[in-house]
């Protein structure tokens, strides 16, 4: 268990190192101006790769840290990656305003930074959907399974039964949501248990 956790942490640490190494390599062939332009896109591509590599590794992505800021307004346009891009572009513009000496360049960068944050704040005020005739009733189910036992077949079956019992409590909701790791086994191996409980 600790070996797996350490492996996951190591993999997540490697991604920013790869971004930095890529930019250091590019720096040999171009000017600092291009590094500021490339930085957001190198990081964003890396974050996108993490969302599908090894069946998905989107943990601790940058955009999640900004859900309570004006930049969260970009989420309806492109999800977490749109928020991440707005953060990265903001960082590049702020860094550029310190690196470049020309006042016109600095003013342009800081103005663009202000526009991004003001635009995000404006997007947060917009209504992106319509309210239905009645509220949707949702039930979030979390059985807090023992992490050391959850991959064992007998325990997985007991966990499924527990989750089904929680899901069937009256009054019935319109939608029941289980955690992504609630079934720690291939679906084909436990499908009949789910089908019986459906």
């Amino acid at each position: 268990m600790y070996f797996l956790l350490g492996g996951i942490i190591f993999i997540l640490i490697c991604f920013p190192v790869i971004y930095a190494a890529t930019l250091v390599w590019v720096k040999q062939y171009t000017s600092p101006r291009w590094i500021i332009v490339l930085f957001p896109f190198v990081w964003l591509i890396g974050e996108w790769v993490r969302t599908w590599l090894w069946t998905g590794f989107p943990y601790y992505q940058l955009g999640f840290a900004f859900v309570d800021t004006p930049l969260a307004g970009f989420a309806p346009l492109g999800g977490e990656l749109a928020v991440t891009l707005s953060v990265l572009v903001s960082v590049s513009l702020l860094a550029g305003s310190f690196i470049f000496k020309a006042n016109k360049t600095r003013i342009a960068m800081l103005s663009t930074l202000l526009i991004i944050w003001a635009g995000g704040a404006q997007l947060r005020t917009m209504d992106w959907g319509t309210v239905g005739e009645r509220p949707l009733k949702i039930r979030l189910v979390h059985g807090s399974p023992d992490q050391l036992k959850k991959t064992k077949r007998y325990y997985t079956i007991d966990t499924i039964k527990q989750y089904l019992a929680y899901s069937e409590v009256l009054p019935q909701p319109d939608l029941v949501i289980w955690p992504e790791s609630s079934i720690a086994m291939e679906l084909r191996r436990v499908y009949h248990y789910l089908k019986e409980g459906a």
Side-chain angles (χ1 to χ4, degrees):
M1 180 75 172
Y2 296 113
F3 177 76
L4 289 174
L5 183 60
I8 290 170
I9 292 169
F10 177 75
I11 289 167
L12 294 177
I13 289 170
C14 283
F15 278 92
V17 172
I18 292 168
Y19 311 153
T22 303
L23 291 170
V24 168
W25 177 75
V26 169
K27 187 181 175 186
Q28 301 174 48
Y29 306 101
T30 187
S31 68
R33 197 176 300 253
W34 278 106
I35 296 298
I36 286 175
V37 172
L38 290 173
F39 165 73
F41 299 101
V42 168
W43 190 297
L44 187 72
I45 290 167
E47 295 241 330
W48 172 73
V49 167
R50 276 207 294 146
T51 63
W52 58 264
L53 192 65
W54 300 305
T55 70
F57 243 104
Y59 309 111
Y60 303 111
Q61 288 195 294
L62 188 60
F64 294 133
F66 290 82
V67 294
D68 293 323
T69 71
L71 296 181
F74 292 101
L77 301 178
E80 182 275 333
L81 289 176
V83 179
T84 296
L85 180 61
S86 66
V87 173
L88 295 169
V89 170
S90 297
V91 169
S92 282
L93 292 169
L94 191 59
S97 70
F98 287 103
I99 292 170
F100 298 115
K101 304 299 180 190
N103 284 335
K104 285 184 179 180
T105 305
R106 287 179 170 180
I107 291 169
M109 287 184 161
L110 291 173
S111 299
T112 306
L113 177 63
L114 184 62
I115 289 168
I116 289 171
W117 280 74
Q122 183 61 36
L123 289 170
R124 283 192 77 168
T125 65
M126 296 178 69
D127 184 11
W128 293 96
T130 56
V131 179
E133 294 178 4
R134 65 180 181 84
L136 190 66
K137 294 178 182 174
I138 300 173
R139 177 173 296 152
L140 300 175
V141 177
H142 197 296
S144 298
D146 186 331
Q147 298 299 306
L148 296 175
K149 296 180 182 176
K150 69 186 287 184
T151 56
K152 304 203 181 307
R153 183 176 169 78
Y154 70 90
Y155 194 79
T156 301
I157 293 165
D158 288 344
T159 302
I160 290 171
K161 289 177 180 177
Q162 182 185 27
Y163 273 68
L164 287 170
Y166 289 156
S167 302
E168 292 165 358
V169 172
L170 296 175
Q172 278 292 317
D174 299 307
L175 177 66
V176 177
I177 300 174
W178 291 8
E180 63 181 19
S181 62
S182 55
I183 302 174
M185 198 171 283
E186 291 176 326
L187 188 58
R188 63 181 176 78
R189 296 177 65 189
V190 294
Y191 181 73
H192 60 284
Y193 293 101
L194 292 169
K195 194 173 180 183
E196 285 173 12

